[in-house]
Amino acid sequence: MPTPLVTAPELAAIRDRLDADGKRLVFTNGCFDLLHVGHVRYLEVARRLGDALAVAVNGDDSVRFLKGPTRPINPEADRAEVLAALRCVDYVVIFAEPRVTGVIHEVRPHIYAKGGDYTPETLDPGERAALHAAGSEIRILPLVPGRSTTAILEKSCHS
């Protein structure tokens, strides 16, 4: 069985093999700093959209840039390992940039899934352009109400 932790070029080759077999790669990304039930349910729904699910995880510097100096709580290797252990996740790639645009350009996923806190219009313009260039279908998936890393951290600080 292939290892779930891959590089972007390896994931691009996997996508091409899936495509040649008439199968579709679903792709999503995020920090996944404290994995919670909202993440798990989202990833399970995303996986059902195609034949394999790849998760791009923001590297530590990227998380700090996006979330602030106290984040991430867990280092990138730990976050990637936890995601890779989920039954619904087939591949995990870590990316260092603040945006996943470069990975999208390289991998060219068939389907791009994002949580319901986004709309196609609020996606980063560079990411949206890369998805359009790749011919990727964009799917916005519903959020699990009241489940977020920020809410968990706020609750733990006020306990």
Side-chain angles (χ1 to χ4, degrees):
M1 180 173 177
T3 177
L5 188 56
V6 296
T7 64
E10 289 169 334
L11 187 56
I14 290 165
R15 181 259 184 231
D16 289 345
R17 283 195 302 276
L18 287 166
D19 192 63
D21 292 340
K23 296 181 178 178
R24 294 166 35 115
L25 177 68
V26 180
F27 182 87
T28 191
N29 67 286
C31 298
F32 300 98
D33 199 4
L34 292 176
L35 196 66
H36 53 75
V37 71
H39 289 135
V40 172
R41 291 177 187 171
Y42 163 79
L43 292 170
E44 288 173 335
V45 170
R47 175 59 179 82
R48 290 193 294 267
L49 297 175
D51 300 290
L53 174 62
V55 180
V57 179
N58 292 73
D60 292 345
D61 291 340
S62 175
V63 175
R64 264 188 291 286
F65 176 81
L66 295 169
K67 304 288 186 177
T70 62
R71 303 275 297 274
I73 303 299
N74 291 300
E76 62 191 44
D78 289 5
R79 292 181 283 121
E81 185 176 335
V82 169
L83 284 164
L86 295 176
R87 187 173 42 234
C88 59
V89 175
D90 297 289
Y91 305 100
V92 177
V93 60
I94 298 170
F95 67 99
E97 301 78 20
R99 300 287 173 204
V100 74
T101 310
V103 180
I104 292 169
H105 275 299
E106 187 156 6
V107 173
R108 300 165 289 109
H110 297 97
I111 301 167
Y112 179 72
K114 202 67 177 166
D117 47 343
Y118 289 88
T119 67
E121 298 76 31
T122 62
L123 289 175
D124 175 76
E127 292 175 14
R128 198 170 57 240
L131 291 163
H132 179 73
S136 303
E137 176 187 341
I138 298 172
R139 297 288 301 270
I140 304 297
L141 305 181
L143 287 179
V144 178
R147 303 296 197 280
S148 75
T149 300
T150 301
I152 291 168
L153 291 173
E154 287 175 357
K155 184 176 180 181
S156 69
C157 290
H158 293 78
S159 298

